[in-house]
Amino acid sequence: MIRLLWTGSVHTRNFLRRYMPSNILLDAIRTPRGLKWGVPAMLLAIPYFLIAAVLVQVINDGGPAWLNVLVLLTIWNGLKMLWIGPLSLTLLARLQVNRLKGRPRNQQMTQHVPGEEAEYRDLETAR
């Protein structure tokens, strides 16, 4: 039973990741070229929260109860859009710091020390 639930949640996550517009946008923003669009993407939270407010009003005026699911979905997407702004600024700053240091990301830089055979040391410790 647990295996069935696990498999179902994995397939649901993969489907939502691949086909939902907000997730596609967030994946595009998380790339190095897309980080600059994180703060403007925060403005997309406004329509999401506006839609949620309208749906709540419709529900209060006697609308169907299943609209509560859409309210939760729009609030969740609005929070995701608010969250991507500060995250993209942090990732952009980290990327710029790595570029200024001249180090490729996720690679250890080593240099050969003369007089020692096949001995390599970090540039940081050699200085």
Side-chain angles (χ1 to χ4, degrees):
M1 182 68 173
I2 292 176
R3 183 177 177 182
L4 180 65
L5 291 173
W6 189 276
T7 303
S9 67
V10 168
H11 287 296
T12 303
R13 180 198 179 276
N14 288 339
F15 174 79
L16 293 175
R17 196 87 176 148
R18 196 169 289 140
Y19 296 111
M20 292 299 137
S22 63
N23 290 337
I24 293 170
L25 176 65
L26 292 175
D27 287 341
I29 290 174
R30 286 188 197 110
T31 64
R33 289 183 57 185
L35 288 174
K36 62 185 172 192
W37 296 103
V39 175
M42 287 177 66
L43 294 174
L44 289 175
I46 296 169
Y48 278 119
F49 292 134
L50 183 63
I51 291 169
V54 168
L55 288 174
V56 167
Q57 189 63 39
V58 168
I59 293 168
N60 288 338
D61 290 341
W66 61 266
L67 289 177
N68 286 314
V69 175
L70 292 179
V71 170
L72 288 174
L73 182 67
T74 55
I75 289 174
W76 177 253
N77 284 335
L79 290 174
K80 285 193 303 188
M81 292 302 159
L82 283 178
W83 171 76
I84 196 64
L87 178 70
S88 67
L89 289 177
T90 304
L91 292 174
L92 188 61
R94 187 187 322 166
L95 185 66
Q96 292 298 326
V97 166
N98 284 339
R99 285 183 182 167
L100 288 176
K101 286 183 180 179
R103 290 194 302 198
R105 201 171 162 178
N106 294 330
Q107 293 180 0
Q108 182 181 11
M109 294 175 23
T110 58
Q111 88 180 31
H112 180 68
V113 178
E116 297 180 15
E117 301 219 9
E119 177 85 24
Y120 291 92
R121 296 187 181 170
D122 276 328
L123 283 177
E124 302 293 311
T125 59
R127 290 182 188 166

